[in-house]
Amino acid sequence: MIKYFLMKQGFESGGMVLYPESICPCQSARQYKDCIKVLEREMKRIRKLTPTECERLQGFPTDLTKYGKTEEGKIYKISDTQRYKMCGNAVSSNVSKTILESLIPDQVNVMSLFSGCGGTEAKLDERFTIIGHCEIDKYAQDVLRFNHPNVPIYPNVVDLANQTDIIETRFDLLTFGYPCQDISISGKQLGEAGQRSSLVYQVVEIARKYRPKYIFAENVKNHLSVKHEAFFLRVLTAFSELGYNLDFEVVNSKDYSLAQNRERVFIFGKLND
């Protein structure tokens, strides 16, 4: 079903964005196919959201996903299809900024897993220094390389978990929006048996090995459903057994000055002193 929303000039970031009272439904990685369409009242036309508008709905800095840089150093424009996918898969920057800056008072080095286009860390203040990204998607890697030219990119979370001392710089905060494909209502509902969402246990091994002071995770609200709550509790237990005091909460992007109805569960943990 096509959903229509009124547009106007200037909501938070400026430009063509949704009316605050006309909240956009949750973006997905299939936005390039199942696009949300909008009704421009003044122009009397219907069109789909642009990649830039999708970025604004996630609270990204302007043009976060617009350019990429290859390993050979070539700079190029990212296709709209890939930009839609990255926006749909990402963590809303306003949400992660508010949570992390309120809970972490000190200067920290950040290691980002399942980084995507870098939405989790995109708006963090100067107290947060990114020392590494782990991302398998080629286009997301190129976006990260363009925006963070001096930050190493590790392509495989399994290698980080199984090999010793790959990450050379000490980090204090481990962020990870682990894959939701096996948990999401739009997926096959394989849960813990799926090959993607179960990669969170590789993160447990990385935390065991490097012992960061803080962890910060994100996933879909459906992780708390009857079908997947046992998996969620096992994830919490795994980190708790490493010595982390944990809290979790479902939050909605629309409560963080974003015109998107995007509910996600966030986990925050601090290592016992």
Side-chain angles (χ1 to χ4, degrees), residues 249-273:
E249 186 173 347
V250 174
V251 301
N252 196 322
S253 295
K254 70 180 183 180
D255 298 321
Y256 292 79
S257 300
L258 297 174
Q260 181 183 186
N261 186 29
R262 188 181 186 87
E263 290 185 296
R264 292 293 185 267
V265 59
F266 288 87
I267 305 169
F268 182 82
K270 182 179 180 182
L271 196 61
N272 288 324
D273 296 328

mmCIF file with all atom_site columns, all heavy atoms in Angstrom, residues 249-273:
data_model
loop_
_atom_site.group_PDB
_atom_site.id
_atom_site.type_symbol
_atom_site.label_atom_id
_atom_site.label_alt_id
_atom_site.label_comp_id
_atom_site.label_asym_id
_atom_site.label_entity_id
_atom_site.label_seq_id
_atom_site.pdbx_PDB_ins_code
_atom_site.Cartn_x
_atom_site.Cartn_y
_atom_site.Cartn_z
_atom_site.occupancy
_atom_site.B_iso_or_equiv
_atom_site.pdbx_formal_charge
_atom_site.auth_seq_id
_atom_site.auth_comp_id
_atom_site.auth_asym_id
_atom_site.auth_atom_id
_atom_site.pdbx_PDB_model_num
ATOM 1   N N   . GLU A 1 249 ? 15.896 -0.431 26.460 1.00 0.00 ? 249 GLU A N   1
ATOM 2   C CA  . GLU A 1 249 ? 14.636 0.304  26.322 1.00 0.00 ? 249 GLU A CA  1
ATOM 3   C C   . GLU A 1 249 ? 14.274 0.430  24.845 1.00 0.00 ? 249 GLU A C   1
ATOM 4   O O   . GLU A 1 249 ? 15.156 0.544  23.990 1.00 0.00 ? 249 GLU A O   1
ATOM 5   C CB  . GLU A 1 249 ? 14.764 1.695  26.944 1.00 0.00 ? 249 GLU A CB  1
ATOM 6   C CG  . GLU A 1 249 ? 13.470 2.480  26.986 1.00 0.00 ? 249 GLU A CG  1
ATOM 7   C CD  . GLU A 1 249 ? 13.593 3.784  27.762 1.00 0.00 ? 249 GLU A CD  1
ATOM 8   O OE1 . GLU A 1 249 ? 14.601 3.962  28.472 1.00 0.00 ? 249 GLU A OE1 1
ATOM 9   O OE2 . GLU A 1 249 ? 12.687 4.623  27.631 1.00 0.00 ? 249 GLU A OE2 1
ATOM 10  N N   . VAL A 1 250 ? 12.989 0.392  24.577 1.00 0.00 ? 250 VAL A N   1
ATOM 11  C CA  . VAL A 1 250 ? 12.488 0.669  23.234 1.00 0.00 ? 250 VAL A CA  1
ATOM 12  C C   . VAL A 1 250 ? 12.245 2.163  23.108 1.00 0.00 ? 250 VAL A C   1
ATOM 13  O O   . VAL A 1 250 ? 11.555 2.760  23.952 1.00 0.00 ? 250 VAL A O   1
ATOM 14  C CB  . VAL A 1 250 ? 11.186 -0.107 22.942 1.00 0.00 ? 250 VAL A CB  1
ATOM 15  C CG1 . VAL A 1 250 ? 10.608 0.307  21.587 1.00 0.00 ? 250 VAL A CG1 1
ATOM 16  C CG2 . VAL A 1 250 ? 11.434 -1.606 22.979 1.00 0.00 ? 250 VAL A CG2 1
ATOM 17  N N   . VAL A 1 251 ? 12.834 2.774  22.099 1.00 0.00 ? 251 VAL A N   1
ATOM 18  C CA  . VAL A 1 251 ? 12.644 4.203  21.868 1.00 0.00 ? 251 VAL A CA  1
ATOM 19  C C   . VAL A 1 251 ? 12.204 4.420  20.420 1.00 0.00 ? 251 VAL A C   1
ATOM 20  O O   . VAL A 1 251 ? 12.434 3.574  19.553 1.00 0.00 ? 251 VAL A O   1
ATOM 21  C CB  . VAL A 1 251 ? 13.919 5.022  22.171 1.00 0.00 ? 251 VAL A CB  1
ATOM 22  C CG1 . VAL A 1 251 ? 14.363 4.832  23.607 1.00 0.00 ? 251 VAL A CG1 1
ATOM 23  C CG2 . VAL A 1 251 ? 15.039 4.638  21.222 1.00 0.00 ? 251 VAL A CG2 1
ATOM 24  N N   . ASN A 1 252 ? 11.574 5.560  20.189 1.00 0.00 ? 252 ASN A N   1
ATOM 25  C CA  . ASN A 1 252 ? 11.048 5.893  18.875 1.00 0.00 ? 252 ASN A CA  1
ATOM 26  C C   . ASN A 1 252 ? 11.733 7.152  18.363 1.00 0.00 ? 252 ASN A C   1
ATOM 27  O O   . ASN A 1 252 ? 11.818 8.154  19.078 1.00 0.00 ? 252 ASN A O   1
ATOM 28  C CB  . ASN A 1 252 ? 9.534  6.113  18.948 1.00 0.00 ? 252 ASN A CB  1
ATOM 29  C CG  . ASN A 1 252 ? 8.875  6.071  17.579 1.00 0.00 ? 252 ASN A CG  1
ATOM 30  O OD1 . ASN A 1 252 ? 9.427  6.552  16.596 1.00 0.00 ? 252 ASN A OD1 1
ATOM 31  N ND2 . ASN A 1 252 ? 7.687  5.504  17.517 1.00 0.00 ? 252 ASN A ND2 1
ATOM 32  N N   . SER A 1 253 ? 12.210 7.097  17.123 1.00 0.00 ? 253 SER A N   1
ATOM 33  C CA  . SER A 1 253 ? 12.911 8.243  16.539 1.00 0.00 ? 253 SER A CA  1
ATOM 34  C C   . SER A 1 253 ? 12.065 9.517  16.535 1.00 0.00 ? 253 SER A C   1
ATOM 35  O O   . SER A 1 253 ? 12.602 10.621 16.600 1.00 0.00 ? 253 SER A O   1
ATOM 36  C CB  . SER A 1 253 ? 13.360 7.928  15.109 1.00 0.00 ? 253 SER A CB  1
ATOM 37  O OG  . SER A 1 253 ? 14.312 6.901  15.089 1.00 0.00 ? 253 SER A OG  1
ATOM 38  N N   . LYS A 1 254 ? 10.745 9.365  16.456 1.00 0.00 ? 254 LYS A N   1
ATOM 39  C CA  . LYS A 1 254 ? 9.889  10.546 16.400 1.00 0.00 ? 254 LYS A CA  1
ATOM 40  C C   . LYS A 1 254 ? 9.948  11.357 17.689 1.00 0.00 ? 254 LYS A C   1
ATOM 41  O O   . LYS A 1 254 ? 9.572  12.529 17.694 1.00 0.00 ? 254 LYS A O   1
ATOM 42  C CB  . LYS A 1 254 ? 8.444  10.155 16.100 1.00 0.00 ? 254 LYS A CB  1
ATOM 43  C CG  . LYS A 1 254 ? 7.720  9.433  17.221 1.00 0.00 ? 254 LYS A CG  1
ATOM 44  C CD  . LYS A 1 254 ? 6.295  9.097  16.822 1.00 0.00 ? 254 LYS A CD  1
ATOM 45  C CE  . LYS A 1 254 ? 5.526  8.442  17.971 1.00 0.00 ? 254 LYS A CE  1
ATOM 46  N NZ  . LYS A 1 254 ? 4.135  8.111  17.583 1.00 0.00 ? 254 LYS A NZ  1
ATOM 47  N N   . ASP A 1 255 ? 10.449 10.770 18.766 1.00 0.00 ? 255 ASP A N   1
ATOM 48  C CA  . ASP A 1 255 ? 10.597 11.481 20.033 1.00 0.00 ? 255 ASP A CA  1
ATOM 49  C C   . ASP A 1 255 ? 11.939 12.193 20.136 1.00 0.00 ? 255 ASP A C   1
ATOM 50  O O   . ASP A 1 255 ? 12.264 12.752 21.191 1.00 0.00 ? 255 ASP A O   1
ATOM 51  C CB  . ASP A 1 255 ? 10.439 10.503 21.204 1.00 0.00 ? 255 ASP A CB  1
ATOM 52  C CG  . ASP A 1 255 ? 9.064  9.852  21.233 1.00 0.00 ? 255 ASP A CG  1
ATOM 53  O OD1 . ASP A 1 255 ? 8.072  10.555 20.947 1.00 0.00 ? 255 ASP A OD1 1
ATOM 54  O OD2 . ASP A 1 255 ? 8.979  8.649  21.548 1.00 0.00 ? 255 ASP A OD2 1
ATOM 55  N N   . TYR A 1 256 ? 12.722 12.164 19.065 1.00 0.00 ? 256 TYR A N   1
ATOM 56  C CA  . TYR A 1 256 ? 14.053 12.778 19.047 1.00 0.00 ? 256 TYR A CA  1
ATOM 57  C C   . TYR A 1 256 ? 14.174 13.770 17.888 1.00 0.00 ? 256 TYR A C   1
ATOM 58  O O   . TYR A 1 256 ? 15.185 13.822 17.193 1.00 0.00 ? 256 TYR A O   1
ATOM 59  C CB  . TYR A 1 256 ? 15.128 11.692 18.944 1.00 0.00 ? 256 TYR A CB  1
ATOM 60  C CG  . TYR A 1 256 ? 15.216 10.834 20.180 1.00 0.00 ? 256 TYR A CG  1
ATOM 61  C CD1 . TYR A 1 256 ? 14.290 9.821  20.392 1.00 0.00 ? 256 TYR A CD1 1
ATOM 62  C CD2 . TYR A 1 256 ? 16.180 11.054 21.157 1.00 0.00 ? 256 TYR A CD2 1
ATOM 63  C CE1 . TYR A 1 256 ? 14.327 9.030  21.533 1.00 0.00 ? 256 TYR A CE1 1
ATOM 64  C CE2 . TYR A 1 256 ? 16.238 10.277 22.293 1.00 0.00 ? 256 TYR A CE2 1
ATOM 65  C CZ  . TYR A 1 256 ? 15.310 9.271  22.480 1.00 0.00 ? 256 TYR A CZ  1
ATOM 66  O OH  . TYR A 1 256 ? 15.356 8.490  23.620 1.00 0.00 ? 256 TYR A OH  1
ATOM 67  N N   . SER A 1 257 ? 13.111 14.545 17.686 1.00 0.00 ? 257 SER A N   1
ATOM 68  C CA  . SER A 1 257 ? 13.076 15.607 16.664 1.00 0.00 ? 257 SER A CA  1
ATOM 69  C C   . SER A 1 257 ? 13.238 15.072 15.248 1.00 0.00 ? 257 SER A C   1
ATOM 70  O O   . SER A 1 257 ? 13.806 15.752 14.387 1.00 0.00 ? 257 SER A O   1
ATOM 71  C CB  . SER A 1 257 ? 14.151 16.675 16.946 1.00 0.00 ? 257 SER A CB  1
ATOM 72  O OG  . SER A 1 257 ? 13.958 17.274 18.202 1.00 0.00 ? 257 SER A OG  1
ATOM 73  N N   . LEU A 1 258 ? 12.766 13.869 15.014 1.00 0.00 ? 258 LEU A N   1
ATOM 74  C CA  . LEU A 1 258 ? 12.802 13.281 13.677 1.00 0.00 ? 258 LEU A CA  1
ATOM 75  C C   . LEU A 1 258 ? 11.394 12.885 13.269 1.00 0.00 ? 258 LEU A C   1
ATOM 76  O O   . LEU A 1 258 ? 10.646 12.320 14.070 1.00 0.00 ? 258 LEU A O   1
ATOM 77  C CB  . LEU A 1 258 ? 13.718 12.051 13.650 1.00 0.00 ? 258 LEU A CB  1
ATOM 78  C CG  . LEU A 1 258 ? 15.191 12.312 13.959 1.00 0.00 ? 258 LEU A CG  1
ATOM 79  C CD1 . LEU A 1 258 ? 15.948 10.994 14.054 1.00 0.00 ? 258 LEU A CD1 1
ATOM 80  C CD2 . LEU A 1 258 ? 15.819 13.207 12.897 1.00 0.00 ? 258 LEU A CD2 1
ATOM 81  N N   . ALA A 1 259 ? 11.033 13.146 12.016 1.00 0.00 ? 259 ALA A N   1
ATOM 82  C CA  . ALA A 1 259 ? 9.679  12.867 11.535 1.00 0.00 ? 259 ALA A CA  1
ATOM 83  C C   . ALA A 1 259 ? 9.587  11.451 10.977 1.00 0.00 ? 259 ALA A C   1
ATOM 84  O O   . ALA A 1 259 ? 9.180  11.215 9.840  1.00 0.00 ? 259 ALA A O   1
ATOM 85  C CB  . ALA A 1 259 ? 9.278  13.882 10.470 1.00 0.00 ? 259 ALA A CB  1
ATOM 86  N N   . GLN A 1 260 ? 9.981  10.477 11.808 1.00 0.00 ? 260 GLN A N   1
ATOM 87  C CA  . GLN A 1 260 ? 9.943  9.077  11.398 1.00 0.00 ? 260 GLN A CA  1
ATOM 88  C C   . GLN A 1 260 ? 9.494  8.220  12.576 1.00 0.00 ? 260 GLN A C   1
ATOM 89  O O   . GLN A 1 260 ? 10.018 8.341  13.689 1.00 0.00 ? 260 GLN A O   1
ATOM 90  C CB  . GLN A 1 260 ? 11.326 8.600  10.921 1.00 0.00 ? 260 GLN A CB  1
ATOM 91  C CG  . GLN A 1 260 ? 11.304 7.152  10.461 1.00 0.00 ? 260 GLN A CG  1
ATOM 92  C CD  . GLN A 1 260 ? 12.661 6.627  10.050 1.00 0.00 ? 260 GLN A CD  1
ATOM 93  O OE1 . GLN A 1 260 ? 12.793 5.510  9.554  1.00 0.00 ? 260 GLN A OE1 1
ATOM 94  N NE2 . GLN A 1 260 ? 13.710 7.425  10.223 1.00 0.00 ? 260 GLN A NE2 1
ATOM 95  N N   . ASN A 1 261 ? 8.535  7.360  12.330 1.00 0.00 ? 261 ASN A N   1
ATOM 96  C CA  . ASN A 1 261 ? 8.027  6.448  13.355 1.00 0.00 ? 261 ASN A CA  1
ATOM 97  C C   . ASN A 1 261 ? 8.883  5.181  13.326 1.00 0.00 ? 261 ASN A C   1
ATOM 98  O O   . ASN A 1 261 ? 8.552  4.197  12.678 1.00 0.00 ? 261 ASN A O   1
ATOM 99  C CB  . ASN A 1 261 ? 6.554  6.129  13.077 1.00 0.00 ? 261 ASN A CB  1
ATOM 100 C CG  . ASN A 1 261 ? 5.941  5.301  14.177 1.00 0.00 ? 261 ASN A CG  1
ATOM 101 O OD1 . ASN A 1 261 ? 6.344  5.387  15.328 1.00 0.00 ? 261 ASN A OD1 1
ATOM 102 N ND2 . ASN A 1 261 ? 4.965  4.491  13.828 1.00 0.00 ? 261 ASN A ND2 1
ATOM 103 N N   . ARG A 1 262 ? 9.993  5.215  14.031 1.00 0.00 ? 262 ARG A N   1
ATOM 104 C CA  . ARG A 1 262 ? 10.981 4.134  13.967 1.00 0.00 ? 262 ARG A CA  1
ATOM 105 C C   . ARG A 1 262 ? 11.275 3.645  15.384 1.00 0.00 ? 262 ARG A C   1
ATOM 106 O O   . ARG A 1 262 ? 12.040 4.274  16.123 1.00 0.00 ? 262 ARG A O   1
ATOM 107 C CB  . ARG A 1 262 ? 12.265 4.645  13.289 1.00 0.00 ? 262 ARG A CB  1
ATOM 108 C CG  . ARG A 1 262 ? 13.315 3.572  12.992 1.00 0.00 ? 262 ARG A CG  1
ATOM 109 C CD  . ARG A 1 262 ? 14.527 4.218  12.348 1.00 0.00 ? 262 ARG A CD  1
ATOM 110 N NE  . ARG A 1 262 ? 15.508 3.243  11.904 1.00 0.00 ? 262 ARG A NE  1
ATOM 111 C CZ  . ARG A 1 262 ? 15.499 2.630  10.724 1.00 0.00 ? 262 ARG A CZ  1
ATOM 112 N NH1 . ARG A 1 262 ? 14.545 2.897  9.851  1.00 0.00 ? 262 ARG A NH1 1
ATOM 113 N NH2 . ARG A 1 262 ? 16.437 1.768  10.400 1.00 0.00 ? 262 ARG A NH2 1
ATOM 114 N N   . GLU A 1 263 ? 10.677 2.543  15.767 1.00 0.00 ? 263 GLU A N   1
ATOM 115 C CA  . GLU A 1 263 ? 10.888 1.985  17.097 1.00 0.00 ? 263 GLU A CA  1
ATOM 116 C C   . GLU A 1 263 ? 12.017 0.959  17.053 1.00 0.00 ? 263 GLU A C   1
ATOM 117 O O   . GLU A 1 263 ? 12.018 0.050  16.227 1.00 0.00 ? 263 GLU A O   1
ATOM 118 C CB  . GLU A 1 263 ? 9.610  1.314  17.607 1.00 0.00 ? 263 GLU A CB  1
ATOM 119 C CG  . GLU A 1 263 ? 8.495  2.295  17.942 1.00 0.00 ? 263 GLU A CG  1
ATOM 120 C CD  . GLU A 1 263 ? 7.306  1.604  18.551 1.00 0.00 ? 263 GLU A CD  1
ATOM 121 O OE1 . GLU A 1 263 ? 6.683  0.774  17.852 1.00 0.00 ? 263 GLU A OE1 1
ATOM 122 O OE2 . GLU A 1 263 ? 6.990  1.878  19.727 1.00 0.00 ? 263 GLU A OE2 1
ATOM 123 N N   . ARG A 1 264 ? 12.955 1.128  17.952 1.00 0.00 ? 264 ARG A N   1
ATOM 124 C CA  . ARG A 1 264 ? 14.089 0.213  18.055 1.00 0.00 ? 264 ARG A CA  1
ATOM 125 C C   . ARG A 1 264 ? 14.399 -0.038 19.531 1.00 0.00 ? 264 ARG A C   1
ATOM 126 O O   . ARG A 1 264 ? 14.177 0.800  20.383 1.00 0.00 ? 264 ARG A O   1
ATOM 127 C CB  . ARG A 1 264 ? 15.329 0.795  17.371 1.00 0.00 ? 264 ARG A CB  1
ATOM 128 C CG  . ARG A 1 264 ? 15.217 0.914  15.850 1.00 0.00 ? 264 ARG A CG  1
ATOM 129 C CD  . ARG A 1 264 ? 15.167 -0.452 15.203 1.00 0.00 ? 264 ARG A CD  1
ATOM 130 N NE  . ARG A 1 264 ? 15.183 -0.419 13.749 1.00 0.00 ? 264 ARG A NE  1
ATOM 131 C CZ  . ARG A 1 264 ? 14.104 -0.409 12.978 1.00 0.00 ? 264 ARG A CZ  1
ATOM 132 N NH1 . ARG A 1 264 ? 12.896 -0.394 13.539 1.00 0.00 ? 264 ARG A NH1 1
ATOM 133 N NH2 . ARG A 1 264 ? 14.203 -0.410 11.667 1.00 0.00 ? 264 ARG A NH2 1
ATOM 134 N N   . VAL A 1 265 ? 14.935 -1.224 19.800 1.00 0.00 ? 265 VAL A N   1
ATOM 135 C CA  . VAL A 1 265 ? 15.382 -1.519 21.150 1.00 0.00 ? 265 VAL A CA  1
ATOM 136 C C   . VAL A 1 265 ? 16.881 -1.244 21.232 1.00 0.00 ? 265 VAL A C   1
ATOM 137 O O   . VAL A 1 265 ? 17.657 -1.654 20.359 1.00 0.00 ? 265 VAL A O   1
ATOM 138 C CB  . VAL A 1 265 ? 15.060 -2.975 21.558 1.00 0.00 ? 265 VAL A CB  1
ATOM 139 C CG1 . VAL A 1 265 ? 15.709 -3.990 20.628 1.00 0.00 ? 265 VAL A CG1 1
ATOM 140 C CG2 . VAL A 1 265 ? 15.485 -3.226 22.996 1.00 0.00 ? 265 VAL A CG2 1
ATOM 141 N N   . PHE A 1 266 ? 17.268 -0.508 22.283 1.00 0.00 ? 266 PHE A N   1
ATOM 142 C CA  . PHE A 1 266 ? 18.672 -0.173 22.512 1.00 0.00 ? 266 PHE A CA  1
ATOM 143 C C   . PHE A 1 266 ? 19.135 -0.812 23.813 1.00 0.00 ? 266 PHE A C   1
ATOM 144 O O   . PHE A 1 266 ? 18.400 -0.843 24.802 1.00 0.00 ? 266 PHE A O   1
ATOM 145 C CB  . PHE A 1 266 ? 18.862 1.345  22.581 1.00 0.00 ? 266 PHE A CB  1
ATOM 146 C CG  . PHE A 1 266 ? 18.711 2.031  21.249 1.00 0.00 ? 266 PHE A CG  1
ATOM 147 C CD1 . PHE A 1 266 ? 17.467 2.427  20.799 1.00 0.00 ? 266 PHE A CD1 1
ATOM 148 C CD2 . PHE A 1 266 ? 19.816 2.270  20.451 1.00 0.00 ? 266 PHE A CD2 1
ATOM 149 C CE1 . PHE A 1 266 ? 17.314 3.044  19.569 1.00 0.00 ? 266 PHE A CE1 1
ATOM 150 C CE2 . PHE A 1 266 ? 19.680 2.891  19.214 1.00 0.00 ? 266 PHE A CE2 1
ATOM 151 C CZ  . PHE A 1 266 ? 18.427 3.281  18.776 1.00 0.00 ? 266 PHE A CZ  1
ATOM 152 N N   . ILE A 1 267 ? 20.362 -1.302 23.799 1.00 0.00 ? 267 ILE A N   1
ATOM 153 C CA  . ILE A 1 267 ? 20.983 -1.891 24.983 1.00 0.00 ? 267 ILE A CA  1
ATOM 154 C C   . ILE A 1 267 ? 22.215 -1.068 25.326 1.00 0.00 ? 267 ILE A C   1
ATOM 155 O O   . ILE A 1 267 ? 23.044 -0.767 24.451 1.00 0.00 ? 267 ILE A O   1
ATOM 156 C CB  . ILE A 1 267 ? 21.418 -3.347 24.727 1.00 0.00 ? 267 ILE A CB  1
ATOM 157 C CG1 . ILE A 1 267 ? 20.239 -4.203 24.233 1.00 0.00 ? 267 ILE A CG1 1
ATOM 158 C CG2 . ILE A 1 267 ? 22.042 -3.960 25.970 1.00 0.00 ? 267 ILE A CG2 1
ATOM 159 C CD1 . ILE A 1 267 ? 20.664 -5.567 23.724 1.00 0.00 ? 267 ILE A CD1 1
ATOM 160 N N   . PHE A 1 268 ? 22.336 -0.697 26.591 1.00 0.00 ? 268 PHE A N   1
ATOM 161 C CA  . PHE A 1 268 ? 23.535 0.006  27.057 1.00 0.00 ? 268 PHE A CA  1
ATOM 162 C C   . PHE A 1 268 ? 24.128 -0.776 28.209 1.00 0.00 ? 268 PHE A C   1
ATOM 163 O O   . PHE A 1 268 ? 23.393 -1.210 29.111 1.00 0.00 ? 268 PHE A O   1
ATOM 164 C CB  . PHE A 1 268 ? 23.222 1.426  27.502 1.00 0.00 ? 268 PHE A CB  1
ATOM 165 C CG  . PHE A 1 268 ? 24.430 2.200  27.947 1.00 0.00 ? 268 PHE A CG  1
ATOM 166 C CD1 . PHE A 1 268 ? 25.257 2.810  27.022 1.00 0.00 ? 268 PHE A CD1 1
ATOM 167 C CD2 . PHE A 1 268 ? 24.751 2.298  29.289 1.00 0.00 ? 268 PHE A CD2 1
ATOM 168 C CE1 . PHE A 1 268 ? 26.398 3.499  27.416 1.00 0.00 ? 268 PHE A CE1 1
ATOM 169 C CE2 . PHE A 1 268 ? 25.881 3.004  29.705 1.00 0.00 ? 268 PHE A CE2 1
ATOM 170 C CZ  . PHE A 1 268 ? 26.702 3.608  28.762 1.00 0.00 ? 268 PHE A CZ  1
ATOM 171 N N   . GLY A 1 269 ? 25.423 -0.972 28.173 1.00 0.00 ? 269 GLY A N   1
ATOM 172 C CA  . GLY A 1 269 ? 26.086 -1.703 29.243 1.00 0.00 ? 269 GLY A CA  1
ATOM 173 C C   . GLY A 1 269 ? 27.350 -1.020 29.696 1.00 0.00 ? 269 GLY A C   1
ATOM 174 O O   . GLY A 1 269 ? 28.071 -0.421 28.901 1.00 0.00 ? 269 GLY A O   1
ATOM 175 N N   . LYS A 1 270 ? 27.623 -1.130 31.000 1.00 0.00 ? 270 LYS A N   1
ATOM 176 C CA  . LYS A 1 270 ? 28.870 -0.611 31.586 1.00 0.00 ? 270 LYS A CA  1
ATOM 177 C C   . LYS A 1 270 ? 29.537 -1.717 32.356 1.00 0.00 ? 270 LYS A C   1
ATOM 178 O O   . LYS A 1 270 ? 28.898 -2.408 33.162 1.00 0.00 ? 270 LYS A O   1
ATOM 179 C CB  . LYS A 1 270 ? 28.583 0.583  32.496 1.00 0.00 ? 270 LYS A CB  1
ATOM 180 C CG  . LYS A 1 270 ? 29.864 1.193  33.081 1.00 0.00 ? 270 LYS A CG  1
ATOM 181 C CD  . LYS A 1 270 ? 29.544 2.394  33.976 1.00 0.00 ? 270 LYS A CD  1
ATOM 182 C CE  . LYS A 1 270 ? 30.830 2.977  34.547 1.00 0.00 ? 270 LYS A CE  1
ATOM 183 N NZ  . LYS A 1 270 ? 30.544 4.121  35.464 1.00 0.00 ? 270 LYS A NZ  1
ATOM 184 N N   . LEU A 1 271 ? 30.824 -1.881 32.118 1.00 0.00 ? 271 LEU A N   1
ATOM 185 C CA  . LEU A 1 271 ? 31.584 -2.940 32.764 1.00 0.00 ? 271 LEU A CA  1
ATOM 186 C C   . LEU A 1 271 ? 31.718 -2.638 34.248 1.00 0.00 ? 271 LEU A C   1
ATOM 187 O O   . LEU A 1 271 ? 31.989 -1.503 34.657 1.00 0.00 ? 271 LEU A O   1
ATOM 188 C CB  . LEU A 1 271 ? 32.954 -3.043 32.119 1.00 0.00 ? 271 LEU A CB  1
ATOM 189 C CG  . LEU A 1 271 ? 33.789 -4.293 32.365 1.00 0.00 ? 271 LEU A CG  1
ATOM 190 C CD1 . LEU A 1 271 ? 33.069 -5.537 31.847 1.00 0.00 ? 271 LEU A CD1 1
ATOM 191 C CD2 . LEU A 1 271 ? 35.151 -4.160 31.690 1.00 0.00 ? 271 LEU A CD2 1
ATOM 192 N N   . ASN A 1 272 ? 31.513 -3.653 35.063 1.00 0.00 ? 272 ASN A N   1
ATOM 193 C CA  . ASN A 1 272 ? 31.669 -3.486 36.517 1.00 0.00 ? 272 ASN A CA  1
ATOM 194 C C   . ASN A 1 272 ? 33.085 -3.027 36.844 1.00 0.00 ? 272 ASN A C   1
ATOM 195 O O   . ASN A 1 272 ? 34.059 -3.544 36.277 1.00 0.00 ? 272 ASN A O   1
ATOM 196 C CB  . ASN A 1 272 ? 31.397 -4.809 37.240 1.00 0.00 ? 272 ASN A CB  1
ATOM 197 C CG  . ASN A 1 272 ? 29.934 -5.185 37.227 1.00 0.00 ? 272 ASN A CG  1
ATOM 198 O OD1 . ASN A 1 272 ? 29.068 -4.331 37.318 1.00 0.00 ? 272 ASN A OD1 1
ATOM 199 N ND2 . ASN A 1 272 ? 29.657 -6.479 37.101 1.00 0.00 ? 272 ASN A ND2 1
ATOM 200 N N   . ASP A 1 273 ? 33.183 -2.082 37.747 1.00 0.00 ? 273 ASP A N   1
ATOM 201 C CA  . ASP A 1 273 ? 34.497 -1.590 38.156 1.00 0.00 ? 273 ASP A CA  1
ATOM 202 C C   . ASP A 1 273 ? 35.245 -2.662 38.956 1.00 0.00 ? 273 ASP A C   1
ATOM 203 O O   . ASP A 1 273 ? 34.659 -3.452 39.663 1.00 0.00 ? 273 ASP A O   1
ATOM 204 C CB  . ASP A 1 273 ? 34.354 -0.322 39.011 1.00 0.00 ? 273 ASP A CB  1
ATOM 205 C CG  . ASP A 1 273 ? 33.750 0.828  38.209 1.00 0.00 ? 273 ASP A CG  1
ATOM 206 O OD1 . ASP A 1 273 ? 34.009 0.888  36.984 1.00 0.00 ? 273 ASP A OD1 1
ATOM 207 O OD2 . ASP A 1 273 ? 33.036 1.636  38.796 1.00 0.00 ? 273 ASP A OD2 1
#
